[in-house]
Amino acid sequence: MEDDIEMKKRKKRIIIILIVAVVLIAVIFSLVRCGSNVAGAIQSAESMEQALPLAEQDLSSSINATGTVESQNVYSVTTDLTCKVKELKVALGDHVEAGDVLCVFDDSDVREQIATLEEQVSASDQLAAKQNQIAERNLQDAKNDQASQINSANAAITDAQSAYDKANADYNNAKNQLDAAIAQGDDSTIAALQEQVGSLSASVQSANEALKAAKDNLTQVQRTTDQTIQSAQDTVDTNALTNSKDAQTTKELAKLYRQLDQMTVVAGQSGIITQLNIAQGGVPNGSLMQIEDNTNLKVKVSIKEKDITKVQQGMAAKITADALPDQTNTGAVNKVINFASSDAKTADQSAAAGTSGSSGSAYSAEVNVDAGSSLLLGMTVKVEITLKEGGKGMAVPYDSIAADDDGSYVYRGKEQDDGNYLIEKVPVTVGDSTDYYTGISSDELELGDLIISTPDDVQEGDTIPLYVPDDTTSYTVDTE
């Protein structure tokens, strides 16, 4: 932790030095034009301590990442048929609804085989084959129904988990703001924050109950559909035991009946055709096409090694795309992948060392996009993950704060009649921190007070000139 703070301080000093250098150049240029003594101006500017007006800052912290929009639900359409495709109803990029016909196979060969076998067996054997076909179809339908119900139940759990994580994050953020307000003695906001914390606590409890109900529903779905599948399997097994002496012929006939049922292929879910592996007149080789749900989206983002331990499931995220400059989409971290593959790790180390290699990150996370997004599959997006919602409060740069045996303090410059400033020591309570600022509170400080940037260079009671930058917004830069 101390190393991180020291690094941030060094970065901040570099920024200050650069800004002071720019100001000095401007001053020197102006003095040269006016014929003033340059050497004297430099000596005067260098002797000044810098101070910044105390202001409110956003104490939230976040990290930025990039990624590509993907579907949460990808459905692969497959077949074991080897018939030619008679009709192809879709093209790459088409949107389909669940139940839409995707393609139709040529069933002429299968019908001829069925007719030949039906001539070889009795009517009772044909009936047995038909019963086998129906039983097999019911078994497959039961398995498909189970997969569909389990997917829906799991999706409900994911939504409930996201809602719980968000409610919990909102509660923790409000609780942090309340604790900060109490520490600062901000009576004007304490009552409102207490009410908000109470309301959010109830929301957390409600979300937790909804999550438990979703998990219970999955258990019930699994139990019920298992029973249905077992019943269908029992029927198939019973039919196999009661087949006639021409069992092999009956079995083959039942297989052909099942193939006849599969000649028309329909979509198992709504979405966009993102892969198409067949053509009209062609013979399939297992995989027909892929359908990606374009309403339930996610983004897989690369996370820097130094940030991966900060990212947690449920953290809120803002998602933007260059293709949609006026829109900001919201979402939440659904999964943190805190395992680095050896290839990605090597690439990261090469990039850090400045040697050749890709610049990807070894770690990643998945962010689920909230419903109603206009993002499209495959879009490259920027994702800002909020690590902590700190809210606004009085804050100063990290190294404006000093400490001794009595606690933390800052030095304030109090303007005197001669234009110089009297240095005063003001005890402070330290609050939340970002990459640049640290929140402080003190009954003795007011917004606009001039806070010395480098407390090690002054002492209480000094009377000195101060340099105050005209544009203090330059101190809010990202120092990463």
Side-chain angles (χ1 to χ4, degrees), residues 200-291:
L200 290 173
S201 176
S203 296
V204 170
Q205 183 177 353
S206 176
N208 187 47
E209 291 172 355
L211 177 58
K212 183 179 182 300
K215 291 179 177 179
D216 290 343
N217 179 62
L218 174 61
T219 302
Q220 181 62 31
V221 164
Q222 186 76 55
R223 182 185 302 114
T224 302
T225 54
D226 279 347
Q227 291 172 352
T228 304
I229 289 174
Q230 186 59 56
S231 177
Q233 184 66 58
D234 289 343
T235 302
V236 170
D237 295 341
T238 300
N239 287 345
L241 293 173
T242 58
N243 275 344
S244 70
K245 56 186 175 61
D246 295 323
Q248 188 58 42
T249 304
T250 303
K251 186 182 296 184
E252 183 64 26
L253 192 56
K255 177 183 176 181
L256 291 171
Y257 284 149
R258 288 196 302 274
Q259 289 182 355
L260 204 58
D261 280 342
Q262 300 168 7
M263 291 296 168
T264 299
V265 180
V266 299
Q269 73 171 30
S270 300
I272 294 176
I273 306 295
T274 57
Q275 285 184 19
L276 190 60
N277 306 319
I278 56 170
Q280 190 156 311
V283 177
N285 185 23
S287 176
L288 300 178
M289 61 192 74
Q290 181 172 280
I291 303 173

Coordinates of all heavy atoms in Angstrom, one line a residue, residues 200-291:
L200 N -32.4 0.9 1.3 CA -31.6 0.0 0.5 C -31.4 -1.3 1.3 O -31.2 -2.4 0.6 CB -30.2 0.7 0.2 CG -30.3 1.8 -0.8 CD1 -29.0 2.5 -0.9 CD2 -30.7 1.3 -2.1
S201 N -31.4 -1.3 2.6 CA -31.3 -2.5 3.4 C -32.5 -3.4 3.1 O -32.3 -4.6 2.9 CB -31.2 -2.2 4.9 OG -31.1 -3.4 5.6
A202 N -33.7 -2.8 3.0 CA -34.9 -3.6 2.7 C -34.8 -4.1 1.3 O -35.2 -5.3 1.0 CB -36.1 -2.7 2.8
S203 N -34.2 -3.3 0.4 CA -34.0 -3.8 -1.0 C -33.1 -5.0 -1.1 O -33.3 -5.9 -1.9 CB -33.5 -2.7 -1.9 OG -34.4 -1.6 -2.0
V204 N -32.0 -5.0 -0.3 CA -31.1 -6.1 -0.3 C -31.8 -7.3 0.2 O -31.6 -8.4 -0.4 CB -29.9 -5.8 0.6 CG1 -29.0 -7.0 0.9 CG2 -29.0 -4.7 0.0
Q205 N -32.6 -7.2 1.3 CA -33.3 -8.4 1.8 C -34.3 -8.9 0.7 O -34.4 -10.2 0.5 CB -34.1 -8.0 3.1 CG -34.8 -9.2 3.7 CD -35.5 -8.8 5.0 OE1 -35.3 -7.7 5.5 NE2 -36.2 -9.7 5.6
S206 N -35.0 -8.0 0.1 CA -35.9 -8.5 -1.0 C -35.2 -9.2 -2.1 O -35.7 -10.2 -2.6 CB -36.7 -7.3 -1.5 OG -37.6 -7.6 -2.5
A207 N -34.1 -8.6 -2.5 CA -33.3 -9.2 -3.6 C -32.7 -10.6 -3.2 O -32.7 -11.5 -4.1 CB -32.2 -8.3 -4.1
N208 N -32.4 -10.7 -2.0 CA -31.8 -12.0 -1.5 C -32.9 -13.0 -1.5 O -32.7 -14.2 -1.9 CB -31.3 -11.8 -0.1 CG -30.6 -13.0 0.4 OD1 -29.7 -13.6 -0.3 ND2 -30.9 -13.4 1.6
E209 N -34.1 -12.6 -1.1 CA -35.2 -13.6 -1.1 C -35.6 -14.0 -2.6 O -35.9 -15.2 -2.8 CB -36.5 -13.0 -0.5 CG -36.3 -12.8 1.0 CD -37.4 -12.0 1.7 OE1 -38.3 -11.5 0.9 OE2 -37.5 -11.8 2.9
A210 N -35.5 -13.1 -3.5 CA -35.8 -13.4 -4.9 C -34.7 -14.3 -5.5 O -35.0 -15.2 -6.2 CB -35.8 -12.1 -5.7
L211 N -33.5 -14.1 -5.0 CA -32.4 -15.0 -5.5 C -32.6 -16.4 -4.9 O -32.4 -17.4 -5.7 CB -31.0 -14.5 -5.0 CG -29.8 -15.3 -5.3 CD1 -29.6 -15.5 -6.8 CD2 -28.5 -14.6 -4.8
K212 N -33.0 -16.5 -3.7 CA -33.2 -17.8 -3.1 C -34.4 -18.5 -3.8 O -34.3 -19.8 -4.1 CB -33.6 -17.7 -1.6 CG -33.8 -19.0 -0.9 CD -34.1 -18.8 0.6 CE -34.3 -20.2 1.3 NZ -35.4 -21.0 0.8
A213 N -35.4 -17.8 -4.1 CA -36.6 -18.4 -4.9 C -36.2 -18.9 -6.2 O -36.6 -19.9 -6.7 CB -37.7 -17.3 -5.0
A214 N -35.3 -18.1 -6.9 CA -34.8 -18.5 -8.2 C -34.0 -19.8 -8.2 O -34.1 -20.7 -9.0 CB -34.0 -17.4 -8.9
K215 N -33.2 -19.9 -7.1 CA -32.4 -21.2 -6.9 C -33.3 -22.4 -6.6 O -33.1 -23.5 -7.1 CB -31.3 -21.0 -5.9 CG -30.2 -20.0 -6.3 CD -29.2 -19.8 -5.1 CE -28.1 -18.9 -5.6 NZ -27.1 -18.7 -4.5
D216 N -34.3 -22.1 -5.8 CA -35.3 -23.2 -5.4 C -36.0 -23.6 -6.7 O -36.3 -24.8 -6.9 CB -36.3 -22.7 -4.4 CG -35.6 -22.5 -3.0 OD1 -34.5 -23.0 -2.8 OD2 -36.2 -21.8 -2.2
N217 N -36.4 -22.7 -7.6 CA -37.1 -23.0 -8.8 C -36.2 -23.9 -9.7 O -36.7 -24.9 -10.3 CB -37.4 -21.7 -9.5 CG -38.1 -22.0 -10.9 OD1 -39.2 -22.6 -10.9 ND2 -37.5 -21.6 -12.0
L218 N -34.9 -23.6 -9.8 CA -34.0 -24.5 -10.6 C -34.0 -25.9 -10.0 O -34.1 -26.9 -10.8 CB -32.6 -23.9 -10.5 CG -31.5 -24.8 -11.2 CD1 -31.9 -25.0 -12.7 CD2 -30.1 -24.2 -11.0
T219 N -34.0 -26.1 -8.7 CA -34.0 -27.4 -8.1 C -35.3 -28.1 -8.5 O -35.3 -29.3 -8.8 CB -33.9 -27.3 -6.6 OG1 -32.7 -26.6 -6.3 CG2 -33.9 -28.7 -5.9
Q220 N -36.5 -27.4 -8.4 CA -37.7 -28.0 -8.7 C -37.8 -28.4 -10.2 O -38.3 -29.4 -10.5 CB -38.9 -27.0 -8.4 CG -40.3 -27.5 -8.6 CD -40.6 -28.7 -7.8 OE1 -40.1 -28.9 -6.7 NE2 -41.4 -29.6 -8.4
V221 N -37.3 -27.5 -11.1 CA -37.3 -27.8 -12.5 C -36.5 -29.0 -12.8 O -36.9 -29.9 -13.6 CB -36.8 -26.6 -13.3 CG1 -36.4 -27.0 -14.7 CG2 -37.8 -25.5 -13.3
Q222 N -35.4 -29.1 -12.2 CA -34.5 -30.3 -12.4 C -35.2 -31.6 -12.0 O -35.2 -32.6 -12.7 CB -33.2 -30.1 -11.6 CG -32.2 -31.2 -11.8 CD -31.5 -31.1 -13.2 OE1 -30.9 -30.0 -13.5 NE2 -31.5 -32.1 -14.0
R223 N -35.9 -31.5 -10.8 CA -36.6 -32.7 -10.3 C -37.7 -33.1 -11.2 O -37.9 -34.3 -11.5 CB -37.1 -32.4 -8.9 CG -37.8 -33.6 -8.2 CD -38.3 -33.3 -6.9 NE -37.3 -32.8 -5.9 CZ -37.3 -31.5 -5.5 NH1 -38.2 -30.6 -5.9 NH2 -36.4 -31.2 -4.6
T224 N -38.5 -32.1 -11.6 CA -39.7 -32.4 -12.4 C -39.4 -33.0 -13.8 O -39.9 -34.0 -14.2 CB -40.6 -31.2 -12.5 OG1 -41.0 -30.7 -11.2 CG2 -41.9 -31.5 -13.3
T225 N -38.4 -32.3 -14.4 CA -38.0 -32.7 -15.8 C -37.3 -34.1 -15.7 O -37.4 -34.8 -16.7 CB -37.2 -31.7 -16.4 OG1 -36.1 -31.3 -15.6 CG2 -38.0 -30.4 -16.7
D226 N -36.6 -34.3 -14.7 CA -35.9 -35.7 -14.6 C -37.0 -36.8 -14.5 O -36.8 -37.8 -15.1 CB -35.0 -35.7 -13.3 CG -33.7 -35.1 -13.5 OD1 -33.3 -34.8 -14.6 OD2 -33.0 -34.8 -12.5
Q227 N -38.1 -36.5 -13.8 CA -39.1 -37.5 -13.7 C -39.8 -37.7 -15.1 O -40.1 -38.9 -15.5 CB -40.2 -37.0 -12.7 CG -39.7 -37.0 -11.2 CD -40.6 -36.4 -10.3 OE1 -41.6 -35.8 -10.7 NE2 -40.4 -36.5 -9.0
T228 N -40.0 -36.6 -15.8 CA -40.6 -36.7 -17.1 C -39.7 -37.5 -18.1 O -40.2 -38.4 -18.9 CB -40.9 -35.4 -17.7 OG1 -41.7 -34.6 -16.8 CG2 -41.5 -35.4 -19.1
I229 N -38.4 -37.3 -18.1 CA -37.5 -38.0 -18.9 C -37.4 -39.5 -18.5 O -37.4 -40.3 -19.4 CB -36.0 -37.4 -18.8 CG1 -36.0 -36.0 -19.5 CG2 -35.0 -38.3 -19.4 CD1 -34.7 -35.2 -19.2
Q230 N -37.4 -39.7 -17.2 CA -37.4 -41.1 -16.8 C -38.6 -41.9 -17.3 O -38.5 -43.1 -17.7 CB -37.3 -41.2 -15.3 CG -37.1 -42.6 -14.8 CD -35.8 -43.3 -15.3 OE1 -34.7 -42.8 -15.2 NE2 -36.0 -44.5 -16.0
S231 N -39.8 -41.2 -17.2 CA -41.0 -41.9 -17.7 C -41.0 -42.2 -19.2 O -41.4 -43.3 -19.6 CB -42.2 -41.0 -17.4 OG -43.4 -41.5 -17.9
A232 N -40.5 -41.2 -20.0 CA -40.3 -41.4 -21.4 C -39.3 -42.5 -21.7 O -39.5 -43.3 -22.6 CB -39.9 -40.1 -22.1
Q233 N -38.2 -42.6 -20.9 CA -37.2 -43.6 -21.1 C -37.8 -45.0 -20.8 O -37.5 -46.0 -21.5 CB -36.0 -43.3 -20.2 CG -34.9 -44.3 -20.4 CD -34.2 -44.2 -21.8 OE1 -33.8 -43.1 -22.2 NE2 -34.2 -45.3 -22.6
D234 N -38.6 -45.1 -19.8 CA -39.3 -46.4 -19.4 C -40.1 -46.9 -20.6 O -40.2 -48.1 -20.8 CB -40.1 -46.2 -18.1 CG -39.3 -46.0 -16.9 OD1 -38.0 -46.3 -17.0 OD2 -39.8 -45.5 -15.9
T235 N -40.8 -46.0 -21.2 CA -41.7 -46.4 -22.3 C -40.8 -46.9 -23.5 O -41.2 -47.9 -24.1 CB -42.5 -45.2 -22.8 OG1 -43.3 -44.7 -21.8 CG2 -43.4 -45.6 -24.0
V236 N -39.7 -46.2 -23.8 CA -38.8 -46.7 -24.8 C -38.3 -48.1 -24.5 O -38.3 -49.0 -25.3 CB -37.7 -45.7 -25.0 CG1 -36.6 -46.3 -25.9 CG2 -38.2 -44.4 -25.6
D237 N -37.9 -48.3 -23.3 CA -37.3 -49.6 -22.9 C -38.4 -50.7 -22.9 O -38.1 -51.8 -23.3 CB -36.8 -49.5 -21.4 CG -35.6 -48.6 -21.4 OD1 -35.0 -48.3 -22.4 OD2 -35.2 -48.1 -20.2
T238 N -39.6 -50.3 -22.5 CA -40.7 -51.3 -22.5 C -41.0 -51.8 -23.9 O -41.2 -52.9 -24.2 CB -42.0 -50.7 -21.9 OG1 -41.7 -50.4 -20.5 CG2 -43.1 -51.8 -21.9
N239 N -41.1 -50.8 -24.9 CA -41.4 -51.1 -26.3 C -40.3 -52.0 -26.8 O -40.6 -52.9 -27.6 CB -41.4 -49.8 -27.1 CG -42.7 -49.0 -26.8 OD1 -43.7 -49.6 -26.2 ND2 -42.8 -47.8 -27.2
A240 N -39.0 -51.8 -26.4 CA -37.9 -52.6 -26.9 C -38.1 -54.1 -26.5 O -37.8 -55.0 -27.2 CB -36.6 -52.1 -26.5
L241 N -38.6 -54.3 -25.3 CA -38.8 -55.6 -24.8 C -40.0 -56.4 -25.4 O -40.0 -57.6 -25.5 CB -39.0 -55.6 -23.2 CG -37.7 -55.1 -22.4 CD1 -38.1 -55.0 -21.0 CD2 -36.6 -56.1 -22.6
T242 N -41.0 -55.6 -25.9 CA -42.2 -56.2 -26.4 C -42.2 -56.3 -27.9 O -43.2 -56.6 -28.5 CB -43.4 -55.4 -25.9 OG1 -43.3 -54.1 -26.3 CG2 -43.5 -55.5 -24.4
N243 N -41.1 -56.0 -28.6 CA -41.0 -56.1 -30.0 C -41.2 -57.5 -30.5 O -40.9 -58.5 -29.8 CB -39.7 -55.5 -30.6 CG -39.7 -54.0 -30.7 OD1 -40.8 -53.4 -30.7 ND2 -38.6 -53.4 -30.8
S244 N -41.6 -57.7 -31.7 CA -41.8 -59.0 -32.3 C -40.5 -59.7 -32.6 O -39.4 -59.1 -32.4 CB -42.7 -58.9 -33.6 OG -41.9 -58.3 -34.6
K245 N -40.6 -60.9 -33.2 CA -39.3 -61.6 -33.6 C -38.6 -60.9 -34.6 O -37.4 -61.1 -34.8 CB -39.7 -63.0 -34.0 CG -40.7 -63.1 -35.2 CD -41.0 -64.5 -35.5 CE -42.1 -64.6 -36.6 NZ -41.7 -64.1 -37.9
D246 N -39.2 -60.0 -35.4 CA -38.5 -59.2 -36.4 C -38.0 -57.9 -35.8 O -38.2 -56.8 -36.3 CB -39.4 -58.9 -37.6 CG -39.8 -60.1 -38.4 OD1 -39.0 -61.0 -38.5 OD2 -41.0 -60.2 -38.8
A247 N -37.3 -58.0 -34.6 CA -36.9 -56.8 -33.8 C -36.0 -55.9 -34.6 O -36.2 -54.7 -34.5 CB -36.3 -57.3 -32.5
Q248 N -35.0 -56.5 -35.4 CA -34.1 -55.6 -36.1 C -34.8 -54.8 -37.1 O -34.5 -53.6 -37.3 CB -33.0 -56.5 -36.7 CG -31.8 -55.7 -37.3 CD -31.2 -54.8 -36.3 OE1 -30.9 -55.2 -35.1 NE2 -30.9 -53.6 -36.7
T249 N -35.7 -55.4 -37.9 CA -36.4 -54.7 -38.9 C -37.3 -53.6 -38.3 O -37.4 -52.5 -38.8 CB -37.3 -55.7 -39.7 OG1 -36.4 -56.7 -40.3 CG2 -38.0 -55.0 -40.9
T250 N -37.9 -54.0 -37.2 CA -38.8 -53.0 -36.5 C -38.0 -51.8 -36.0 O -38.4 -50.7 -36.1 CB -39.5 -53.7 -35.4 OG1 -40.3 -54.8 -35.9 CG2 -40.5 -52.7 -34.7
K251 N -36.8 -52.1 -35.5 CA -35.9 -51.1 -35.0 C -35.5 -50.1 -36.1 O -35.4 -48.9 -35.9 CB -34.7 -51.7 -34.2 CG -33.8 -50.7 -33.6 CD -32.6 -51.4 -32.9 CE -33.0 -52.3 -31.8 NZ -31.9 -52.9 -31.1
E252 N -35.1 -50.7 -37.2 CA -34.7 -49.9 -38.4 C -35.8 -49.1 -38.9 O -35.6 -47.9 -39.2 CB -34.2 -50.9 -39.5 CG -33.6 -50.1 -40.7 CD -32.4 -49.3 -40.4 OE1 -31.7 -49.6 -39.4 OE2 -32.1 -48.3 -41.1
L253 N -37.0 -49.6 -38.9 CA -38.2 -48.9 -39.3 C -38.5 -47.7 -38.4 O -38.8 -46.6 -38.8 CB -39.4 -49.8 -39.4 CG -40.6 -49.3 -40.1 CD1 -40.3 -48.8 -41.6 CD2 -41.7 -50.3 -40.1
A254 N -38.3 -47.9 -37.1 CA -38.5 -46.9 -36.1 C -37.5 -45.8 -36.3 O -37.8 -44.6 -36.2 CB -38.5 -47.5 -34.7
K255 N -36.3 -46.1 -36.6 CA -35.2 -45.2 -36.9 C -35.5 -44.3 -38.0 O -35.3 -43.0 -38.0 CB -33.9 -45.9 -37.1 CG -32.7 -44.9 -37.4 CD -31.4 -45.7 -37.6 CE -30.3 -44.8 -38.1 NZ -29.0 -45.6 -38.3
L256 N -36.1 -44.9 -39.1 CA -36.4 -44.1 -40.3 C -37.6 -43.2 -40.0 O -37.6 -42.0 -40.5 CB -36.8 -45.0 -41.5 CG -35.6 -45.8 -42.0 CD1 -36.1 -46.9 -43.0 CD2 -34.6 -44.9 -42.7
Y257 N -38.6 -43.6 -39.2 CA -39.7 -42.8 -38.8 C -39.1 -41.5 -38.1 O -39.6 -40.4 -38.3 CB -40.6 -43.5 -37.9 CG -41.5 -44.5 -38.7 CD1 -42.0 -45.7 -38.0 CD2 -42.0 -44.3 -40.0 CE1 -42.8 -46.6 -38.7 CE2 -42.8 -45.2 -40.6 CZ -43.2 -46.3 -40.0 OH -44.0 -47.2 -40.6
R258 N -38.2 -41.8 -37.2 CA -37.6 -40.7 -36.4 C -36.9 -39.7 -37.3 O -37.0 -38.5 -37.2 CB -36.6 -41.2 -35.4 CG -37.2 -41.9 -34.2 CD -36.3 -42.0 -33.0 NE -35.1 -42.7 -33.3 CZ -35.0 -44.1 -33.3 NH1 -36.0 -44.8 -33.0 NH2 -33.8 -44.7 -33.6
Q259 N -36.2 -40.2 -38.3 CA -35.5 -39.3 -39.3 C -36.5 -38.5 -40.1 O -36.2 -37.3 -40.4 CB -34.6 -40.1 -40.3 CG -33.4 -40.8 -39.6 CD -32.6 -41.5 -40.6 OE1 -32.9 -41.7 -41.8 NE2 -31.4 -42.0 -40.2
L260 N -37.6 -39.1 -40.4 CA -38.7 -38.3 -41.1 C -39.2 -37.1 -40.3 O -39.5 -36.1 -40.8 CB -39.8 -39.3 -41.4 CG -40.7 -38.9 -42.6 CD1 -39.9 -38.8 -43.9 CD2 -41.8 -40.0 -42.8
D261 N -39.2 -37.3 -38.9 CA -39.6 -36.3 -38.0 C -38.6 -35.1 -38.1 O -39.0 -34.0 -37.7 CB -39.7 -36.8 -36.6 CG -41.0 -37.5 -36.4 OD1 -42.0 -37.3 -37.2 OD2 -41.1 -38.3 -35.4
Q262 N -37.3 -35.4 -38.4 CA -36.3 -34.4 -38.3 C -36.0 -33.7 -39.6 O -35.1 -32.9 -39.7 CB -35.0 -35.1 -37.8 CG -35.1 -35.8 -36.5 CD -33.9 -36.7 -36.2 OE1 -32.9 -36.7 -36.9 NE2 -34.0 -37.4 -35.1
M263 N -36.8 -33.9 -40.6 CA -36.6 -33.3 -41.9 C -36.7 -31.8 -42.0 O -36.1 -31.1 -42.7 CB -37.5 -34.0 -43.0 CG -37.1 -35.4 -43.3 SD -35.5 -35.6 -44.1 CE -35.2 -37.3 -44.0
T264 N -37.6 -31.3 -41.1 CA -37.8 -29.9 -41.0 C -37.1 -29.4 -39.7 O -37.5 -29.9 -38.6 CB -39.3 -29.5 -40.9 OG1 -39.9 -30.0 -42.1 CG2 -39.5 -28.0 -40.8
V265 N -36.2 -28.5 -39.9 CA -35.4 -28.0 -38.7 C -35.9 -26.6 -38.3 O -36.0 -25.7 -39.2 CB -33.9 -27.9 -39.1 CG1 -33.1 -27.4 -37.9 CG2 -33.4 -29.3 -39.5
V266 N -36.2 -26.4 -37.0 CA -36.7 -25.1 -36.6 C -35.7 -24.5 -35.5 O -34.9 -25.2 -34.9 CB -38.1 -25.3 -35.9 CG1 -39.1 -25.8 -36.9 CG2 -38.0 -26.2 -34.7
A267 N -35.9 -23.2 -35.4 CA -35.0 -22.5 -34.4 C -35.3 -22.8 -33.0 O -36.5 -22.8 -32.6 CB -35.1 -21.0 -34.7
G268 N -34.3 -23.1 -32.2 CA -34.5 -23.4 -30.8 C -34.6 -22.2 -29.9 O -35.0 -22.2 -28.7
Q269 N -34.2 -21.0 -30.5 CA -34.2 -19.8 -29.7 C -34.2 -18.6 -30.8 O -33.9 -18.8 -31.9 CB -33.0 -19.6 -28.8 CG -31.7 -19.3 -29.5 CD -30.6 -18.9 -28.5 OE1 -30.6 -19.3 -27.4 NE2 -29.7 -18.1 -29.0
S270 N -34.7 -17.5 -30.3 CA -34.6 -16.3 -31.1 C -33.2 -15.7 -31.2 O -32.5 -15.8 -30.2 CB -35.6 -15.2 -30.6 OG -36.9 -15.7 -30.6
G271 N -32.9 -15.0 -32.3 CA -31.6 -14.4 -32.4 C -31.2 -14.2 -33.8 O -32.0 -14.3 -34.8
I272 N -29.9 -14.0 -34.0 CA -29.3 -13.8 -35.3 C -28.4 -14.9 -35.8 O -27.7 -15.5 -34.9 CB -28.4 -12.5 -35.3 CG1 -29.3 -11.3 -35.0 CG2 -27.7 -12.3 -36.6 CD1 -28.6 -10.0 -34.9
I273 N -28.5 -15.3 -37.0 CA -27.7 -16.4 -37.6 C -26.3 -15.8 -37.8 O -26.0 -15.0 -38.6 CB -28.2 -16.8 -39.0 CG1 -29.7 -17.2 -38.9 CG2 -27.4 -18.0 -39.5 CD1 -30.0 -18.4 -38.0
T274 N -25.4 -16.3 -36.9 CA -24.0 -15.8 -37.0 C -23.0 -16.8 -37.6 O -21.9 -16.4 -37.9 CB -23.5 -15.4 -35.6 OG1 -23.6 -16.6 -34.7 CG2 -24.3 -14.3 -35.0
Q275 N -23.5 -18.0 -37.8 CA -22.7 -19.0 -38.6 C -23.6 -19.8 -39.4 O -24.7 -20.1 -39.0 CB -21.9 -19.9 -37.6 CG -20.7 -19.4 -37.0 CD -20.0 -20.4 -36.1 OE1 -20.1 -21.6 -36.3 NE2 -19.1 -19.9 -35.2
L276 N -23.2 -20.0 -40.7 CA -24.1 -20.8 -41.6 C -23.1 -21.8 -42.3 O -22.3 -21.4 -43.1 CB -24.8 -19.9 -42.6 CG -25.9 -20.6 -43.4 CD1 -27.0 -21.2 -42.5 CD2 -26.4 -19.6 -44.4
N277 N -23.3 -23.1 -42.0 CA -22.4 -24.1 -42.4 C -23.0 -25.0 -43.5 O -22.4 -26.0 -43.9 CB -21.9 -25.0 -41.3 CG -21.3 -24.2 -40.1 OD1 -20.6 -23.2 -40.4 ND2 -21.7 -24.6 -38.9
I278 N -24.1 -24.6 -44.1 CA -24.8 -25.4 -45.1 C -25.2 -24.5 -46.2 O -25.3 -23.3 -46.1 CB -26.0 -26.2 -44.6 CG1 -27.0 -25.3 -43.9 CG2 -25.6 -27.3 -43.6 CD1 -28.3 -25.9 -43.6
A279 N -25.5 -25.2 -47.4 CA -26.0 -24.4 -48.6 C -27.1 -25.3 -49.2 O -27.2 -26.5 -49.0 CB -24.9 -24.2 -49.6
Q280 N -28.0 -24.7 -49.9 CA -29.1 -25.4 -50.5 C -28.5 -26.4 -51.5 O -27.7 -26.1 -52.3 CB -30.1 -24.5 -51.2 CG -31.4 -25.2 -51.7 CD -32.5 -24.2 -51.8 OE1 -32.8 -23.4 -50.9 NE2 -33.2 -24.2 -53.0
G281 N -29.0 -27.7 -51.4 CA -28.4 -28.7 -52.2 C -27.3 -29.5 -51.6 O -26.8 -30.5 -52.1
G282 N -26.7 -28.9 -50.5 CA -25.6 -29.6 -49.9 C -26.0 -30.6 -48.9 O -27.1 -30.7 -48.4
V283 N -25.0 -31.4 -48.4 CA -25.2 -32.4 -47.4 C -24.5 -32.0 -46.1 O -23.3 -31.6 -46.1 CB -24.6 -33.8 -47.9 CG1 -24.8 -34.8 -46.8 CG2 -25.3 -34.2 -49.1
P284 N -25.2 -31.9 -45.0 CA -24.7 -31.4 -43.7 C -23.6 -32.3 -43.2 O -23.5 -33.5 -43.5 CB -25.9 -31.4 -42.8 CG -26.8 -32.4 -43.3 CD -26.6 -32.4 -44.8
N285 N -22.7 -31.8 -42.3 CA -21.7 -32.5 -41.7 C -21.8 -32.3 -40.2 O -20.8 -31.8 -39.5 CB -20.3 -32.1 -42.2 CG -19.2 -33.0 -41.6 OD1 -19.5 -34.1 -41.2 ND2 -18.0 -32.5 -41.6
G286 N -23.0 -32.5 -39.6 CA -23.2 -32.3 -38.2 C -23.7 -30.9 -37.8 O -24.8 -30.8 -37.5
S287 N -22.8 -29.9 -37.9 CA -23.2 -28.6 -37.6 C -23.9 -27.8 -38.7 O -23.3 -27.8 -39.8 CB -22.0 -27.8 -37.1 OG -22.3 -26.4 -36.8
L288 N -25.1 -27.3 -38.5 CA -25.8 -26.6 -39.5 C -25.6 -25.1 -39.5 O -25.2 -24.5 -40.5 CB -27.3 -26.9 -39.4 CG -27.7 -28.4 -39.5 CD1 -29.2 -28.5 -39.3 CD2 -27.3 -28.9 -40.9
M289 N -25.8 -24.5 -38.3 CA -25.7 -23.1 -38.1 C -25.6 -22.7 -36.7 O -25.8 -23.6 -35.8 CB -26.9 -22.4 -38.8 CG -28.2 -22.7 -38.2 SD -29.6 -22.1 -39.3 CE -29.5 -23.3 -40.7
Q290 N -25.4 -21.4 -36.4 CA -25.4 -20.9 -35.0 C -26.3 -19.7 -34.9 O -26.3 -18.8 -35.7 CB -23.9 -20.6 -34.6 CG -23.7 -20.1 -33.2 CD -22.3 -19.9 -32.8 OE1 -21.6 -20.9 -32.5 NE2 -21.8 -18.7 -32.9
I291 N -27.1 -19.7 -33.8 CA -28.0 -18.6 -33.5 C -27.5 -17.9 -32.2 O -27.4 -18.6 -31.2 CB -29.4 -19.1 -33.4 CG1 -29.9 -19.8 -34.6 CG2 -30.4 -17.9 -33.1 CD1 -31.2 -20.5 -34.5

